[in-house]
């Protein structure tokens, strides 16, 4: 039997630390989505652990518009040496979902029902920082539609996306 190759040469490691997300949710539960996101963007509240996992950062929060960024890194690579499409999809889904959340009252939740991402050019390590800007197109009583773009520091487009989100309002909440 042939021995499997070992890949110890060039091995890298990364330690991920995060704050208990349930504690942050509990502390912020009485605030609307915009206030919760502002706390996260300012560093006053911890972001969700998934953001730490891929190195994603919330750069801007406005009502109906949120911008996330990530630095293209080798840990994001697929076998071709480009950023894995799932990382890009996570980036746009986060930007679009948080744009919806920024417009929701306290006690109201959302979830992505549908996500479509178009990849128009590869993102590689030399691309550097890419930003996903998510915007709400329509906010209804139970459904919101959104759009996002992913661009580098020079404004070059790498991906664009749309999504539909389900809004879960509390019983007796406004529609």
């Amino acid at each position: 039997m042939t021995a499997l190759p070992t890949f110890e040469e060039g091995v890298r490691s990364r330690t991920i630390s995060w704050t208990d997300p349930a504690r942050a949710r509990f502390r912020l539960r009485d605030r609307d989505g915009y206030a919760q996101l502002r706390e996260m963007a300012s560093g006053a509240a911890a972001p969700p652990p998934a953001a730490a996992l891929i190195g994603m950062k919330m750069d801007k929060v406005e009502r109906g518009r949120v911008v996330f960024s990530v630095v293209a890194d080798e840990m994001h690579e697929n076998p071709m040496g480009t950023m894995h499409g799932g990382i890009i999809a996570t980036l746009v889904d986060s930007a679009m979902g948080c744009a919806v959340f920024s417009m929701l009252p306290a006690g109201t939740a959302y979830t992505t029902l549908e996500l479509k991402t178009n990849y128009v050019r590869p993102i590689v390590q030399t691309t550097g920082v890419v930003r996903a800007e998510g915007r709400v197109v329509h906010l209804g009583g139970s459904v919101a539609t959104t759009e996002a773009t992913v661009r580098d520091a020079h404004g070059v487009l790498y991906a664009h996306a749309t999504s539909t989100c389900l809004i879960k309002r509390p019983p007796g909440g406004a529609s």
Side-chain angles (χ1 to χ4, degrees), residues 3-107:
L4 293 174
T6 60
F7 298 98
E8 295 200 19
E9 186 177 319
V11 169
R12 286 131 168 93
S13 66
R14 180 176 170 187
T15 301
I16 305 294
S17 300
W18 64 90
T19 303
D20 178 0
R23 294 181 113 181
R25 281 192 306 273
F26 180 77
R27 185 172 71 77
L28 300 172
R29 72 190 179 283
D30 295 329
R31 299 185 189 170
D32 67 15
Y34 177 73
Q36 290 185 44
L37 293 170
R38 296 282 301 167
E39 291 248 341
M40 288 179 213
S42 73
L53 184 63
I54 66 169
M56 189 169 61
K57 185 176 118 207
M58 191 181 318
D59 295 329
K60 293 183 183 177
V61 177
E62 299 170 2
R63 291 193 191 276
R65 179 180 173 266
V66 175
V67 179
F68 278 90
S69 64
V70 68
V71 177
D73 186 88
E74 68 183 21
M75 71 176 187
H76 300 128
E77 289 185 359
N78 61 25
M80 281 92 44
T82 63
M83 186 179 280
H84 190 284
I87 301 294
I88 299 165
T90 299
L91 190 63
V92 295
D93 186 46
S94 298
M96 293 184 292
C98 285
V100 170
F101 191 50
S102 73
M103 298 179 72
L104 298 180

Side-chain angles (χ1 to χ4, degrees), residues 86-172:
I87 301 294
I88 299 165
T90 299
L91 190 63
V92 295
D93 186 46
S94 298
M96 293 184 292
C98 285
V100 170
F101 191 50
S102 73
M103 298 179 72
L104 298 180
T108 305
Y110 74 94
T111 190
T112 302
L113 286 174
E114 174 262 343
L115 171 68
K116 180 178 187 325
T117 306
N118 296 280
Y119 307 95
V120 298
R121 63 178 40 83
I123 298 172
V124 296
Q125 282 188 60
T126 57
T127 305
V129 176
V130 291
R131 287 183 174 76
E133 178 180 342
R135 293 170 303 283
V136 172
V137 175
H138 170 76
L139 181 67
S142 59
V143 172
T145 56
T146 63
E147 61 187 12
T149 56
V150 177
R151 297 179 185 274
D152 67 12
H154 305 289
V156 175
L157 181 69
Y158 287 83
H160 56 97
T162 58
S163 77
T164 304
C165 293
L166 175 67
I167 300 169
K168 175 83 168 133
R169 299 192 186 270

